[in-house]
Amino acid sequence: MVADYDAVVFDNDGVLIELTDERLLAEAVQEAFAAFDVAVDEQRALEMVSRDDPPDEAFEREIGVDPEAFWQRREANASAVQREAIRRGEKALYDDVAALESLDHRLGVVSNNQHETIEFILDHHGLDEHFETVYGREPTLAGARRKKPNPSYIEQALDDLGTRSALYVGDSEKDVVAAHRAGIDAAFLRRDHRADLELDVTPTHEVRDLRELADRLAPRSE
């Protein structure tokens, strides 16, 4: 890897901060259903969390709840449970996030998590000063449909940064696909929770952690 990028854009969950316990997100789903007097068991809620697909017309026919209203409630609940987990220290920053301080690039964040959640994380941990642009998904069905692997939010971040000479750093296949669709390079971060993941797409780079990323992006003396 050579230091010829103007900007580096990061995914959030699994990259900057630990993944959220899916049981917490399932709880948020169940509470969203309960707000509309519908009961679902934890298994169904976990399946919805795993798929993370916005509800459609079939959902409305089956459940009898307006998809947009349900989704907005679910998004608010999911953000609330994550913020509380962060306050309790159950969803912590990775130690190697300190390596960001050595990067000389313009930086951004693009996440599939809720925008409200991302803003809270950066503010809570004092990271907001590092990033010039930040995008999480908007708490609407339209916002959910723009999440990765759709490159929409990445493209918005690149417009804000004023460059297409950028690297996107993520820990999933969706991240690699979204970066390539946006026309930029992708670095796959193979943390421990991705140790055995086999990708069906090829990232431009692969690194073990953010320290290795920062080292490989550092300018080399002639």
Side-chain angles (χ1 to χ4, degrees):
M1 191 186 299
V2 292
D4 58 355
Y5 298 110
D6 296 331
V8 183
V9 182
F10 295 86
D11 181 29
N12 178 69
D13 298 84
V15 173
L16 303 178
I17 197 167
E18 293 173 351
L19 298 172
T20 305
D21 185 337
E22 289 195 347
R23 290 171 298 179
L24 285 179
L25 298 177
E27 178 184 317
V29 169
Q30 288 177 294
E31 290 176 354
F33 275 112
F36 297 95
D37 297 319
V38 178
V40 298
D41 61 27
E42 184 182 49
Q43 185 56 41
R44 180 169 184 184
L46 283 168
E47 289 171 358
M48 293 183 70
V49 168
S50 179
R51 292 196 308 270
D52 202 30
D53 293 330
D56 55 17
E57 292 179 0
F59 172 90
E60 186 170 14
R61 289 194 301 270
E62 178 188 355
I63 306 298
V65 174
D66 175 63
E68 186 72 56
F70 170 81
W71 189 255
Q72 291 189 25
R73 178 61 65 94
R74 170 181 159 163
E75 292 288 83
N77 290 353
S79 184
V81 298
Q82 289 181 89
R83 295 197 306 271
E84 186 57 34
I86 290 163
R87 292 189 187 99
R88 294 193 302 261
E90 296 171 5
K91 181 177 168 70
L93 285 183
Y94 290 107
D95 292 340
D96 57 8
V97 168
L100 296 180
E101 296 179 6
S102 67
L103 293 179
D104 220 11
H105 306 69
R106 303 179 72 181
L107 304 181
V109 174
V110 173
S111 171
N112 274 358
N113 211 327
Q114 300 84 22
H115 187 77
E116 182 180 14
T117 306
I118 304 306
E119 286 193 323
F120 176 84
I121 290 168
L122 299 183
D123 178 68
H124 182 79
H125 289 290
L127 294 177
D128 41 1
E129 64 183 21
H130 292 297
F131 300 105
E132 295 184 40
T133 183
V134 176
Y135 287 96
R137 71 191 192 198
E138 299 165 358
T140 62
L141 292 179
R145 295 185 185 109
R146 295 173 61 204
K147 65 186 177 70
K148 298 170 292 184
N150 186 317
S152 177
Y153 288 122
I154 293 179
E155 290 170 342
Q156 281 187 258
L158 297 177
D159 288 343
D160 293 345
L161 295 167
T163 185
R164 285 299 189 271
S165 174
L167 177 69
Y168 187 71
V169 183
D171 70 323
S172 74
E173 185 165 306
K174 288 181 180 179
D175 294 326
V176 177
V177 172
H180 289 172
R181 288 179 178 176
I184 63 173
D185 287 355
F188 178 69
L189 187 62
R190 193 175 287 280
R191 292 198 184 277
D192 289 345
H193 67 279
R194 299 300 192 211
D196 299 323
L197 180 65
E198 294 185 8
L199 298 174
D200 289 329
V201 293
T202 304
T204 318
H205 314 284
E206 183 172 313
V207 293
R208 294 165 298 179
D209 55 38
L210 295 180
R211 295 186 188 93
E212 181 182 352
L213 177 77
D215 181 65
R216 292 173 66 177
L217 286 172
R220 303 300 183 198
S221 56
E222 298 295 337

